Amino acid sequence: MRLSRYFMPTLRDAPADAQIVSHRLMLRAGLVRQEAAGIYAWLPLGLRVLRKIEQIVREEMDRAGAVEILMPTLQLADLWRESGRYDDYGEEMLRIKDRHERDLLYGPTAEEVVTDIFRSYVRSYKDLPKNLYNIQWKFRDERRPRFGVMRGREFLMKDAYSFDVDEAGARASYNRMFLAYLNTFARMELQAIPVRADTGPIGGDLSHEFIILAETGESEVFAHRDLVEMGAPGPDIDWFGDLQPLVDQRTRLYAASDEMHDQARFEAEAPPEKRMTARGIEVGHIFYFGEKYSKPMKAVIAGSDGVERPAQMGSYGVGVSRLVAAIIEASHDDAGIIWPESVAPYGVGIINLRPGDAAVDAACERAYAALTTAGKEPLLDDRDERPGAKFASLDLVGLPWQLIIGPKGLAEGNVELKRRATGERQAMPLEAALKVIAP
Ligand code: 5CA
């Protein structure tokens, strides 16, 4: 992409009401624009990051055996009356009437819809386990939408729903999602801590939140350091084998968010030097709730004994749009965002220090063509701007590499290569720089 033809509306200053660093940087770097309280338009750069996060989530869901569908944003109130949640959900639900006076709602989650789909097709234990997921916009009429897309009203969620014949099967499904989540966040270079959690309005009795550490996080976490340092299991585990040991290894170490925290247990289970207390951001939440929806909605499965029982269900959410902000909270400096390679909107920014200079233009074109071919998605700053402004805007938008090409360097046979994360700059011939970026 050439910046001269692009749409990257960066701002010098963030609006005063943007309180946390990710919100300020998202507005300044031109990733999103607020359209109404808690409702955002995604601008080109922000959309690219959102799509990359979405794709990582999708790949890790698929790897763990989940199957993608797409459910509507608008749902029938009658389904929620069947589960009993229509009246319970309260003010957070955006209720709508269509021209036939039918009650609809903008889905805040999709347990009812997916249970309705499931019960229409699946009857036998032979068809289980099943895990259906979708990546779709949700709406929750939060009283205090704040911190930009971190706590929006309209937000993108990945929600998966597992169906099993019995509790043992449901636990295996839960374990697959538990481990898939760790792999998902690790691919975004986030350290996610699974903590025991409250189930809230989703209901059920087994639940974990996945929290990434950031000072501005809304949750307080208490965790054993060994858990914090334990890595993700990696993609090559036997997804349909016994995953319990891998899960036990992690859940046996103390970790809880404020609502579930028990100081006495924390002190008993973690020696002082292993106790970590920090603030964090909830980026995922998984629940096992058994028959809570399948029973009232009559999603029943015939077992091998021929007896029909409600399916055992769980649900598994990832805050896809929240992750954009969470990654920024975890990875930025005074100059701007520092994107992890896997979610960066473009892989490298090429800075043309003197557009119109034939040699500089030619070197930039050569770099642009080579990096495009190598799949590095270059963003070429060919605008007629001062070098200082170009440096500042590329630091702000945070691409992993900057390739700086100007007349002085070229006269000596060199370009400059800068690593955004470290600020390290090195002069070298163009071909050598291309090899570093795309080995
Ligand atoms: N049905 C379950 C799992 S599919 C569910 O709705 N879980 S949830 O309420 O915990 O939401 C899942 C994830 O969505 C959360 O972990 C969080 O990362 C994200 N999320 C929730 N509310 C918001 C919001 N207002 N703005 C942005 N992201 C949100």
Side-chain angles (χ1 to χ4, degrees), residues 194-215:
V195 307
R196 282 162 11 99
D198 200 9
T199 52
I202 306 293
D205 47 38
L206 174 62
S207 176
H208 284 89
E209 281 175 7
F210 290 76
I211 309 263
I212 64 144
L213 302 181
E215 279 158 31

Side-chain angles (χ1 to χ4, degrees), residues 38 85 89 92 108-111 138-140 142 145-146 148-161 181 185 199 201-202 209-210 281-287 289 293 314-323:
R85 274 208 296 185
Y89 214 94
E92 273 196 16
T109 174
E111 279 80 2
K138 304 290 187 289
F139 196 94
R140 293 183 185 172
E142 304 261 354
R146 58 195 168 136
V149 302
M150 191 77 88
R151 180 167 296 281
R153 290 199 295 168
E154 190 184 43
F155 60 97
L156 189 59
M157 191 203 285
K158 183 286 299 178
D159 39 324
Y161 304 87
Y181 273 36
F185 301 128
T199 52
I202 306 293
E209 281 175 7
F210 290 76
I281 301 165
E282 179 202 317
V283 289
H285 199 161
I286 63 177
F287 306 83
F289 45 72
Y293 302 92
S315 76
Y316 314 90
V318 169
V320 176
S321 49
R322 173 177 289 185
L323 272 164

Side-chain angles (χ1 to χ4, degrees), residues 322-389:
R322 173 177 289 185
L323 272 164
V324 179
I327 291 169
I328 296 173
E329 289 293 333
S331 182
H332 66 270
D333 63 15
D334 289 342
I337 303 168
I338 303 174
W339 290 115
E341 208 120 358
S342 59
V343 303
Y346 289 92
V348 44
I350 304 169
I351 301 183
N352 182 332
L353 289 179
R354 190 161 309 156
D357 176 302
V360 177
D361 287 350
C364 288
E365 291 303 323
R366 155 87 193 116
Y368 187 77
L371 292 168
T372 301
T373 307
K376 291 290 156 185
E377 304 175 313
L379 183 67
L380 171 58
D381 193 346
D382 55 349
R383 294 172 305 174
D384 194 12
E385 287 269 1
R386 296 177 295 112

Side-chain angles (χ1 to χ4, degrees), residues 92-329:
E92 273 196 16
M93 180 185 278
L94 181 62
R95 295 159 207 255
I96 303 162
K97 262 195 207 305
D98 69 10
R99 62 165 72 192
H100 309 294
E101 293 289 303
R102 269 192 101 156
D103 291 323
L104 298 171
L105 56 104
Y106 192 137
T109 174
E111 279 80 2
E112 283 78 358
V113 178
V114 78
T115 303
D116 183 46
I117 294 172
F118 177 85
R119 71 180 172 185
S120 318
Y121 300 103
V122 186
R123 296 271 141 72
S124 161
Y125 72 98
K126 291 180 194 154
D127 298 322
L128 298 186
K130 281 279 171 286
N131 183 330
L132 303 176
Y133 75 97
N134 81 164
I135 301 175
Q136 176 65 292
W137 294 91
K138 304 290 187 289
F139 196 94
R140 293 183 185 172
D141 204 353
E142 304 261 354
R143 181 187 297 276
R144 287 181 60 207
R146 58 195 168 136
F147 304 152
V149 302
M150 191 77 88
R151 180 167 296 281
R153 290 199 295 168
E154 190 184 43
F155 60 97
L156 189 59
M157 191 203 285
K158 183 286 299 178
D159 39 324
Y161 304 87
S162 66
F163 299 86
D164 283 273
V165 277
D166 55 20
E167 195 183 325
R171 238 170 217 279
S173 291
Y174 187 91
N175 289 346
R176 278 192 288 278
M177 290 295 104
F178 184 102
L179 297 169
Y181 273 36
L182 293 174
N183 285 343
T184 301
F185 301 128
R187 281 185 63 185
M188 300 169 197
E189 295 178 30
L190 294 172
Q191 205 170 29
I193 308 171
V195 307
R196 282 162 11 99
D198 200 9
T199 52
I202 306 293
D205 47 38
L206 174 62
S207 176
H208 284 89
E209 281 175 7
F210 290 76
I211 309 263
I212 64 144
L213 302 181
E215 279 158 31
T216 46
E218 288 189 285
S219 332
E220 187 158 34
V221 278
F222 304 84
H224 195 296
R225 280 193 194 282
D226 291 354
L227 176 63
V228 182
E229 278 148 30
M230 198 178 293
D236 301 322
I237 57 179
D238 178 7
W239 287 99
F240 285 82
D242 181 13
L243 299 175
Q244 199 62 50
L246 285 171
V247 172
D248 287 346
Q249 202 186 359
R250 292 166 170 89
T251 50
R252 135 177 112 227
L253 292 164
Y254 189 91
S257 62
D258 21 18
E259 311 111 57
M260 298 288 278
H261 179 56
D262 174 346
Q263 186 65 24
R265 251 197 67 199
F266 189 31
E267 288 173 15
E269 294 179 21
E273 73 280 6
K274 295 282 188 187
R275 281 178 218 151
M276 190 204 70
T277 306
R279 297 206 72 80
I281 301 165
E282 179 202 317
V283 289
H285 199 161
I286 63 177
F287 306 83
Y288 165 60
F289 45 72
E291 304 177 351
K292 183 173 155 78
Y293 302 92
S294 52
K295 194 167 177 189
M297 294 184 69
K298 303 188 180 60
V300 294
I301 291 296
S304 52
D305 54 5
V307 179
E308 288 188 333
R309 298 179 190 86
Q312 293 290 316
M313 292 176 60
S315 76
Y316 314 90
V318 169
V320 176
S321 49
R322 173 177 289 185
L323 272 164
V324 179
I327 291 169
I328 296 173
E329 289 293 333

